[in-house]
Amino acid sequence: MSEPETKPVAQLTRRRFCQAAGVAACTVAASGAGVLSIEFLHPRVLFEPPTRVSLGPPDGVGVGSVIASETHRLFVIRLKDGFRALSSVCTHLGCITRYQPDDGVIACPCHGSRFSLDGDVISGPAPRPLHWLDMAVSDKGLITVDTAVEVPQGMVFKL
Ligand code: FES
């Protein structure tokens, strides 16, 4: 009679343990390098909305009218000789101001600053006038305002 064959039990020797630990460490390092490489190929870019915004056509805007856009944070004011655009961001702490047609002023709801339709400070605490913004007429004949481009105070656009 022959004895049944027995398979030898794999023993965890120091050599095998070190080999397994080395393979595991290399796998983790390669995985990390792979993830970083993929992230490198997809740079983190913050896409912001365009700063040039289109409003309506200039023809229908009567002299003395104020177009207020809370979305774009600006006012467009029709003058006898053209247009001006003002930022509606208060120069005190950045609240959004509102046009008050009854008083003919722009007022800040946060701390009570008041501005004229030239953007000048009527009453504080705002330290500076509202910013004047660049304007143009688009190819489609619409008023456009670039909220990222300031122009000198007093600049009137003939659109
Ligand atoms: Fe406008 Fe303070 S934020 S007055």
Side-chain angles (χ1 to χ4, degrees):
M1 276 184 123
S2 67
E3 291 188 18
E5 277 187 34
T6 58
K7 290 185 178 178
V9 177
Q11 290 187 346
L12 184 61
T13 62
R14 179 186 295 191
R15 175 174 294 204
R16 285 184 181 235
F17 174 78
C18 289
Q19 285 175 339
V23 169
C26 288
T27 303
V28 169
S31 300
V35 168
L36 291 178
S37 298
I38 290 171
E39 279 190 12
F40 177 75
L41 294 175
H42 297 282
R44 294 184 180 159
V45 177
L46 179 63
F47 293 101
E48 295 184 2
T51 58
R52 183 163 285 282
V53 297
S54 291
L55 305 169
D59 300 337
V61 183
V63 174
S65 299
V66 177
I67 302 169
S69 172
E70 266 195 48
T71 307
H72 303 302
R73 301 176 173 191
L74 59 86
F75 299 108
V76 171
I77 300 159
R78 175 77 161 101
L79 310 167
K80 282 183 192 165
D81 54 346
F83 288 85
R84 82 168 61 108
L86 298 176
S87 168
S88 65
V89 178
C90 182
T91 55
H92 181 223
L93 293 177
C95 288
I96 303 304
T97 58
R98 295 196 181 103
Y99 174 57
Q100 296 185 331
D102 294 342
D103 300 333
V105 298
I106 297 168
C108 181
C110 293
H111 308 105
S113 288
R114 291 164 61 91
F115 302 89
S116 70
L117 294 183
D118 293 330
D120 288 328
V121 178
I122 298 171
S123 60
R128 292 177 305 281
L130 296 174
H131 300 293
W132 288 51
L133 303 173
D134 189 28
M135 301 181 74
V137 174
S138 71
D139 298 341
K140 296 175 183 171
L142 303 175
I143 299 171
T144 62
V145 179
D146 194 333
T147 57
V149 179
E150 288 183 35
V151 296
Q153 189 172 12
M155 191 169 210
V156 174
F157 294 87
K158 301 184 187 322
L159 304 179

